[in-house]
Amino acid sequence: MKYKKGTLFLWILILIILIIYYHYRIDNVKIKTLNTTIINIKNEIQIQIKIQNQIRHELFMLEDKNKVSIVLPILIFACNRNTITRTLDQLLKFRPSKTQFPIYVSLGCLESDIEKSLHFYQDEITILIHTPLSYDYNSKISFSLWGYYKISRHYNWSLTQMFGVKKFEAVIIVEDDFDISPDFFEYFHATYSLLQMDPTIWCISCWNDNGLANLTINDPALLHRSDFFPGLGWLLSEKIWHELRSKWPDAFWDDWMRRPDVRLGRVCIRPEISRVYTFGVDGVSRGQYFEEHLSKIMLNIRFVHFKQMTNSLMGLLKKNYDPKFLNDVYNESETITLASLLRKHPLELGREPLNQRLKDNRLIKPSYKIIYHNQLHFEKLTKTLGLMSDYRGGVSRTSYLGIVSFVHRGHKLHLIPMMQSILYE
Ligand code: UD1
Ligand code: MN
């Protein structure tokens, strides 16, 4: 009996060991299979990402091929200033192709003899002549504002010529007091597809309202999205013109473009370094902001091959741009007050020489953010730091999602409204 019991016990023990062994083996096999499945899934995801990127690249290249045939005319608005030749000479110097970038000069002031001085350019340009309304002394419009009415009417007429009569698909708008960057044409040519790909983008501008040397990084390839309509060297598509033409305003067309009911939440692309420089101290606005701000905005001098920068351009599409931008602003920057910022990094005294500036093309860590409580606070910050402080249509210059981002002593600095209600009231 004793022996039988022992044998039984032994058999049970062997059975238990066998069960544990097989169970363990099965588990091991299961884990191994699971591991291979995970690796397979990971590989598959990698392959899919690669395919997706490849498709995106192919699509972009396809757009690029189409773009070669796209004609992007330049429309220069002129009145009575001889400086038109300064703008024209530079456009002609940098223009890569006469057929792809035909130049139109629209003359909107009859009293001038500018037309004569344009004879010299007759093989290179087409002249449009607009007849302005003369001032009615009985009207309620003050004479000092009449210029704005003339400009708006001139814009309406010429854009109707370009889109309605000449049937262009898009037009690059320039004024007769601009200097031009060498990559002006490349910039618009390359960014045009963004306008076609992303319905949240309604214009491409080549102007940075806060583009002073001490507020920017020396990275001419860097581009941004902006809720503020910068104008000053910008591309308008026929699609948007079609929407605007019937309600085009009698005056102040640029501020009208900034109104929320006109902009409808859409953005413009703007560069870190402007592609035009406005030298027009004698203009309709009589040099408003000129001395203290506009005259200091830098003109880019380096040629950037934007057409080869597919990835950076794709980064400007809303779905790619927003997550990175919001992460930079909210997670990658330290909150600071104006006082402690200035203690750590005092304001520059005067302008640093350009050759000094050319070196700092990289941002210094950390980035900062200052949270502002109201418009008054915002004005104090911008005035102290040297930015434009005005709001148009509830939007401050260069801001995106209510945030104004710029560079202070090599550090990225974001000005963020405390409450969303401050935004676009
Ligand atoms: C400012 C803007 C300008 C905008 C204008 C209208 C800046 C630096 N400039 O004009 O982009 O278009 O407000 O709100 O912010 N012109 C005419 N007819 C005239 C007078 C001028 O067609 O009777 C043309 C000029 O040739 C020029 C343009 O309108 O191309 C702007 O005129 P300008 O005198 O330079 O005025 P700004 O004060 O610069
Ligand atoms: Mn001007």
Side-chain angles (χ1 to χ4, degrees), residues 81 175 177 278 280:
R81 291 182 293 202
E175 298 187 341
D177 52 359
T278 172

Side-chain angles (χ1 to χ4, degrees), residues 76-81 106-109 146-148 150-152 154-155 174-178 207 231-232 251-255 258 278 280 282-287 294 397:
I76 313 175
F77 284 93
C79 176
N80 52 9
R81 291 182 293 202
S106 188
L107 292 174
C109 301
W146 183 236
Y148 292 106
K150 277 173 72 193
I151 296 174
S152 202
H154 185 187
Y155 262 70
V174 168
E175 298 187 341
D176 60 347
D177 52 359
F178 289 1
W207 180 253
L232 298 183
F252 312 107
W253 69 269
D254 44 354
D255 279 342
R258 292 164 185 148
T278 172
D282 301 315
V284 169
S285 317
R286 288 173 212 86
L294 290 180
R397 291 187 191 255

Side-chain angles (χ1 to χ4, degrees), residues 163 168-170 195-196 198-199 201 236-244 266:
F163 291 116
F168 286 116
E169 197 177 306
L195 205 71
Q196 295 167 305
D198 184 343
I201 300 173
L236 170 68
S237 69
E238 199 282 327
K239 192 169 152 247
I240 301 295
W241 172 247
H242 189 81
E243 172 190 319
L244 301 179
R266 291 166 295 186

Side-chain angles (χ1 to χ4, degrees), residues 183-284:
D183 58 359
F184 177 90
F185 294 93
E186 172 91 5
Y187 174 74
F188 283 110
H189 188 196
T191 49
Y192 179 53
S193 22
L194 293 174
L195 205 71
Q196 295 167 305
M197 290 168 95
D198 184 343
T200 67
I201 300 173
W202 77 320
C203 106
I204 308 287
S205 167
C206 69
W207 180 253
N208 176 1
D209 276 292
N210 289 321
L212 282 74
N214 58 326
L215 299 176
T216 49
I217 188 114
N218 185 33
D219 179 1
L222 187 60
L223 309 181
H224 310 269
R225 289 169 72 93
S226 171
D227 290 324
F228 192 87
F229 170 72
L232 298 183
W234 60 289
L235 189 145
L236 170 68
S237 69
E238 199 282 327
K239 192 169 152 247
I240 301 295
W241 172 247
H242 189 81
E243 172 190 319
L244 301 179
R245 60 180 187 165
S246 57
K247 47 181 183 175
W248 191 255
D250 293 337
F252 312 107
W253 69 269
D254 44 354
D255 279 342
W256 175 80
M257 295 273 291
R258 292 164 185 148
R259 274 173 35 177
D261 57 326
V262 177
R263 184 171 74 87
L264 300 176
R266 291 166 295 186
V267 305
C268 293
I269 298 299
R270 64 147 182 111
E272 175 80 356
I273 315 283
S274 296
R275 262 55 185 187
V276 296
Y277 172 84
T278 172
F279 53 80
V281 63
D282 301 315
V284 169

Side-chain angles (χ1 to χ4, degrees), residues 6-97:
T7 323
L8 195 68
F9 179 72
L10 206 69
W11 276 115
I12 290 171
L13 200 68
I14 289 169
L15 203 69
I16 289 171
I17 289 170
L18 276 176
I19 287 171
I20 291 173
Y21 173 73
Y22 277 110
H23 193 74
Y24 178 75
R25 250 194 70 159
I26 286 167
D27 265 5
N28 248 0
V29 170
K30 266 189 194 164
I31 288 168
K32 271 188 191 154
T33 345
L34 207 67
N35 273 345
T36 12
T37 322
I38 288 172
I39 290 169
N40 282 344
I41 290 174
K42 272 187 183 163
N43 285 343
E44 189 55 34
I45 290 173
Q46 286 303 326
I47 291 167
Q48 288 300 329
I49 289 174
K50 266 191 189 157
I51 293 173
Q52 236 185 37
N53 283 343
Q54 188 65 27
I55 292 173
R56 228 186 256 166
H57 185 77
E58 296 288 330
L59 264 174
F60 200 82
M61 295 316 270
L62 212 69
E63 291 261 2
D64 207 53
K65 273 187 199 130
N66 284 338
K67 273 191 294 179
V68 175
S69 58
I70 277 171
V71 176
L72 289 178
I74 319 300
L75 176 60
I76 313 175
F77 284 93
C79 176
N80 52 9
R81 291 182 293 202
N82 277 313
T83 54
I84 171 80
T85 55
R86 174 166 161 184
T87 306
L88 251 179
D89 286 340
Q90 292 175 50
L91 282 169
L92 291 172
K93 180 173 159 198
F94 299 129
R95 177 167 72 166
S97 148

